């Protein structure tokens, strides 16, 4: 069974984006829709929507303000719908591993809802939910099965445009240009494209479904398969190689593979320092197709496939030579140990808030673990919070730091759960907070939204205006992406940002009124003390 889903959001940064619209559909094993769910919500007060997101999704300032549901209500409804299905299920989306999956998890977490639903164990059996992304499969189909999908429309780089709209329209899947970026319409198109791949490339589909739906599955496949193919898909093109597994990172997110077109003897005696230099070349622009060792994000559904399925795409493939070199790598435990050390030295987290020299934002604490001894008490507190009425929710948010004082002393990041609760109360029932608490929250929002440093990770009015200037420039150049945008659309967004600025400016602290907020000591916008 599948849960096919699509989201529309306020921006592209998965840590800080707010989901505004989500559509989900339960489908059987042949991708026939059985039931569906669609929900929308209003904007959270501390989230500034990017102009690009507004223009692409069609959400207007009025839509953002007048949504019937709060974000908390929408996410609770969606979580309840997902939980009502018979697990395990496969979550299916288009470009979902890069955006929808992590954004959905984070939006659940910020509403005190279980964040691991995409990989959760079924309460009825030992099955585990999993995720499959159609977008990387379309890329692989273009290379391995070029006659299966028509991909004649080119992007601005002269490569096939793989947007859902263009792929669907070229292959008989209904999706009009004025229907795209509505979550339910995109969901139906995703099902149509997925069915073409399922039926036209069943071996590719089955392999991805069985071996690439999680980082753990991908790692297990790579570690147990002496020779496989890997396609490095990058802006410069695509490079397919016969490869073998070498080593994995401690956190399990990344693995090193060896391109078997190279002679292993040239590298086996290199010290860790030299292997580290080779791995660092993975980060150099233009080096993608020329490296003996590649680093692969295993939880992003890499283009790893059985050699028999894709060997026709490997230039000069020699099965005997590849097998011999793979055996050399597998048999050299000392080399694999050295490569693991090198990987640890170059491994880059997707986002390390410590590198910014500032305290983390609440959204950046998403993956921080909770001590096992604290988890049962926290789970009970969250359960009671959801069940309480709004006045009681406010009391609970206010008292969280006291109730969990000992645990917070050991792990200060645990405070985030009380802060999440406080934000939920503020957005849904601000009248249950006292004037001082509401003022603290408005100051936090003002500092966050009016920060003039355009390099901060969260979206701000300054960043939004800079982005809007770029969009106007691209419209003047005739960029097709913005062909549907009217002058009135641009004007409406400008007025919207001006109105937000006027609303928030009175709450900006006097010390920050005429300064870059990030120039002030401890300048990360701090949530209110309550919670």
């Amino acid at each position: 069974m599948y849960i096919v889903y699509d989201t529309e959001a306020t921006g592209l940064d998965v840590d800080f984006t707010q989901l505004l619209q989500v559509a989900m559909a339960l489908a059987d094993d042949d991708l026939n829709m059985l039931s569906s769910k669609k929900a929308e919500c209003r904007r959270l007060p501390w989230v500034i929507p990017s102009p690009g997101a507004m223009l692409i999704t069609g959400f207007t300032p009025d839509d953002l303000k007048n949504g019937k549901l709060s974000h908390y209500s929408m996410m609770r409804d969606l979580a309840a719908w997902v939980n009502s299905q018979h697990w395990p299920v496969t979550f299916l989306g288009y470009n979902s591993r890069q955006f929808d999956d992590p954004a959905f998890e984070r939006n659940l977490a910020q509403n005190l809802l279980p964040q691991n639903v995409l990989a959760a164990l079924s309460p009825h059996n030992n099955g585990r939910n999993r995720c499959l992304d159609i977008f990387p499969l379309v890329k692989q189909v273009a290379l391995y099965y070029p006659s299966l999908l028509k991909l004649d429309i080119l992007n601005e780089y002269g490569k096939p445009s793989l947007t859902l709209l263009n792929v669907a329209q070229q292959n008989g899947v209904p999706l009009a240009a004025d229907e795209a970026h509505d979550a339910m319409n995109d969901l139906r198109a995703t099902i149509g494209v997925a069915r073409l791949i399922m039926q036209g490339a069943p071996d590719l589909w089955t392999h991805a479904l069985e071996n690439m739906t999680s980082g753990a599955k991908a790692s297990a496949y790579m570690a147990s398969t002496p020779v496989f193919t890997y396609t490095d898909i990058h802006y410069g093109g695509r490079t397919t190689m016969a490869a073998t597994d070498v080593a994995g990172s401690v956190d399990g997110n990344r693995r090193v593979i060896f391109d078997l077109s190279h002679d292993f003897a040239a590298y086996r005696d290199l010290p860790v320092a030299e292997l580290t230099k080779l791995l660092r070349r993975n980060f150099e622009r233009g080096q993608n197709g020329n490296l003996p060792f590649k680093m692969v994000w295993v939880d992003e559904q890499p283009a790893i496939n059985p050699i028999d399925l894709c060997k026709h795409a490997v230039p000069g493939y020699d099965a005997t030579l590849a097998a011999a070199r793979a055996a050399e790598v597998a048999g050299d435990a000392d080399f694999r140990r050295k490569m693991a050390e090198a990987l640890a030295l170059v491994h880059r987290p997707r986002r390390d808030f410590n590198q910014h020299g500032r305290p983390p934002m609440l959204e950046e604490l998403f993956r921080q673990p909770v001590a096992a001894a604290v988890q049962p008490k926290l789970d009970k507190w969250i359960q009671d919070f959801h069940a309480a009425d709004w006045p009681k929710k406010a009391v609970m948010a206010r008292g969280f730091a006291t109730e969990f004082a000992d645990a917070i002393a050991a792990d200060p990041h645990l405070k985030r759960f009380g802060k999440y609760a406080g934000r939920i109360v503020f957005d849904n029932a601000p009248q249950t907070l006292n004037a001082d608490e509401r003022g603290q929250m408005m100051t936090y929002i003002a500092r966050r939204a009016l920060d003039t440093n355009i390099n901060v990770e969260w979206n701000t009015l300054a960043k939004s205006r800079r982005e809007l200037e770029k969009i106007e420039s691209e419209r003047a150049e005739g960029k097709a992406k913005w062909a549907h945008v009217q002058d009135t659309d641009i004007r409406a967004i400008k007025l919207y940002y001006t109105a937000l600025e006027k609303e928030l400016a009175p709450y900006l602290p006097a010390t920050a009124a005429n300064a870059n907020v990030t120039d002030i000591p401890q300048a990360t916008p701090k949530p209110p003390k309550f919670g």
Side-chain angles (χ1 to χ4, degrees):
M1 300 292 283
Y2 298 92
I3 289 181
V4 190
Y5 82 116
D6 187 76
T7 68
E8 305 299 336
T10 59
L12 295 177
D13 191 305
V14 296
D15 279 334
F16 292 99
T17 196
Q18 176 197 347
L19 299 184
L20 295 171
Q21 184 187 82
V22 181
M24 293 184 160
L26 182 69
D28 64 18
D29 290 344
D30 295 318
L31 289 175
N32 299 304
M33 283 180 57
L34 304 176
S35 62
S36 63
K37 171 80 173 177
K38 181 180 177 181
E40 296 180 0
C41 69
R42 60 180 179 265
R43 179 186 69 91
L44 289 166
W46 50 88
V47 173
I48 302 298
S50 77
M54 295 174 69
L55 292 170
I56 289 173
T57 63
F59 279 98
T60 67
D62 285 342
D63 294 331
L64 298 175
K65 180 179 180 181
N66 299 325
K68 294 181 180 179
L69 293 178
S70 69
H71 188 240
Y72 175 67
S73 296
M74 182 185 80
M75 295 308 298
R76 288 192 75 186
D77 285 354
L78 292 168
W81 188 86
V82 169
N83 289 332
S84 71
Q85 310 308 318
H86 186 73
W87 294 3
V89 295
T90 300
F91 287 86
L92 194 72
Y94 198 89
N95 199 30
S96 50
R97 292 293 280 272
Q98 292 288 335
F99 183 79
D100 302 83
D101 293 352
F104 187 59
E105 289 179 327
R106 284 156 174 76
N107 277 245
L108 286 170
Q110 291 164 28
N111 286 284
L112 299 176
L113 297 165
Q115 63 194 45
N116 66 337
V117 63
L118 301 180
L121 281 172
S122 168
H124 309 294
N125 53 54
N126 291 324
R128 185 179 291 277
N129 293 344
R130 55 190 182 177
C131 301
L132 185 66
D133 189 347
I134 302 306
F135 183 55
L137 291 184
V138 170
K139 294 180 180 179
Q140 293 172 56
V141 163
L143 182 63
Y144 307 140
Y145 304 86
S147 62
L148 179 57
L149 294 177
K150 185 178 181 181
L151 302 170
D152 295 337
I153 298 176
L154 303 182
N155 60 24
E156 59 187 296
Y157 304 103
K159 304 294 182 182
S161 173
L162 303 183
T163 65
L164 179 59
L165 175 64
N166 285 336
V167 174
Q169 287 187 338
Q170 291 179 88
N171 291 281
V173 176
L175 183 63
D178 60 354
E179 295 176 340
H181 299 293
D182 172 87
M184 186 58 75
N185 293 336
D186 285 356
L187 178 157
R188 294 179 185 276
T190 296
I191 290 177
V193 173
R195 189 178 286 123
L196 292 175
I197 298 173
M198 175 191 283
Q199 296 173 352
D203 292 341
L204 181 69
W205 180 273
T206 299
H207 165 71
L209 194 61
E210 292 179 352
N211 299 305
M212 294 293 135
T213 50
S214 71
K217 283 181 174 292
S219 291
Y221 177 82
M222 294 164 68
S224 64
T225 306
V227 180
F228 48 79
T229 62
Y230 171 65
T231 300
D232 183 23
I233 303 173
H234 45 83
Y235 284 113
R238 301 183 177 110
T239 304
T240 300
M241 64 189 72
T244 194
D245 186 68
V246 181
S249 60
V250 175
D251 63 7
N253 287 336
R254 186 171 277 193
R255 298 196 71 82
V256 174
I257 61 175
F258 177 61
D259 181 350
L260 294 170
S261 68
H262 294 266
D263 184 358
F264 178 59
Y267 306 99
R268 68 187 314 160
D269 295 325
L270 291 178
V272 171
E274 291 301 315
L275 294 176
T276 301
K277 290 180 181 179
L278 283 175
L279 290 186
R280 290 192 190 281
R281 290 176 59 194
N282 278 264
F283 301 114
E284 296 176 10
R285 183 179 292 273
Q287 291 292 329
N288 303 72
N290 306 310
L291 302 176
F293 299 99
K294 292 292 298 181
M295 288 189 289
V296 179
W297 285 109
V298 294
D299 59 350
E300 293 183 354
Q301 198 176 313
I304 299 286
N305 285 290
I307 187 67
D308 291 339
L309 189 65
C310 304
K311 61 185 177 183
H312 62 278
V314 181
Y317 175 65
D318 183 325
T320 302
L321 181 60
R325 288 176 172 172
E328 284 187 89
V329 175
D332 196 329
D334 184 60
F335 176 81
R336 288 186 286 110
R337 175 193 59 77
K338 291 189 296 182
M339 184 57 78
E341 291 183 20
L343 179 58
L345 292 173
V346 303
H347 182 65
R348 294 179 177 180
R350 286 181 176 81
R351 171 171 286 157
D352 179 6
F353 50 73
N354 293 315
Q355 71 179 324
H356 303 299
R358 57 165 174 78
M361 299 286 278
L362 284 178
E363 293 87 347
E364 293 173 308
L365 297 174
F366 165 68
R367 288 294 187 191
Q368 294 299 304
V370 175
V374 177
Q375 192 70 60
K377 180 180 178 181
L378 179 62
D379 289 343
K380 179 62 166 58
W381 187 92
I382 290 174
Q383 181 181 357
D384 292 344
F385 178 84
H386 289 312
D389 59 20
W390 287 111
K392 178 61 175 176
K393 280 182 169 68
V395 172
M396 293 182 69
R398 196 176 290 122
F400 183 87
T402 299
E403 185 170 347
F404 286 84
D406 292 341
I408 290 172
D411 176 16
H413 290 325
L414 197 67
K415 289 188 293 185
R416 69 186 182 276
F417 294 99
K419 305 297 183 184
Y420 289 154
R423 298 205 306 189
I424 290 169
V425 173
F426 178 82
D427 183 47
N428 288 267
Q431 72 279 2
T432 63
L433 303 174
N434 61 46
D436 183 54
E437 290 166 339
R438 293 195 297 271
Q440 289 180 39
M441 193 67 200
M442 290 304 299
T443 297
Y444 162 71
I445 294 171
R447 289 177 64 95
R448 177 174 172 138
L450 301 179
D451 193 326
T452 57
N453 181 358
I454 61 171
N455 295 315
V456 296
E457 288 70 32
W458 60 94
N459 199 36
T460 65
L461 286 173
K463 289 177 67 175
S464 295
R465 284 167 169 151
R466 174 72 66 90
E467 181 183 346
L468 193 56
E469 289 175 0
K470 182 179 179 182
I471 291 172
E472 289 186 280
S473 176
E474 291 176 346
R475 284 185 70 221
E477 295 168 1
K479 192 169 184 177
K481 181 178 182 179
W482 308 116
H484 67 287
V485 176
Q486 304 296 315
D487 290 344
T488 52
D489 300 325
I490 299 292
R491 189 177 306 115
I493 293 177
K494 288 182 177 179
L495 292 173
Y496 176 59
Y497 289 152
T498 298
L500 287 178
E501 184 175 37
K502 289 181 178 179
E503 176 187 352
L504 295 174
Y507 296 97
L508 195 65
T511 54
N514 299 306
N516 186 327
V517 176
T518 55
D519 289 337
I520 304 168
Q522 300 294 315
T524 296
K526 295 181 179 180
K529 293 179 181 179
F530 68 89

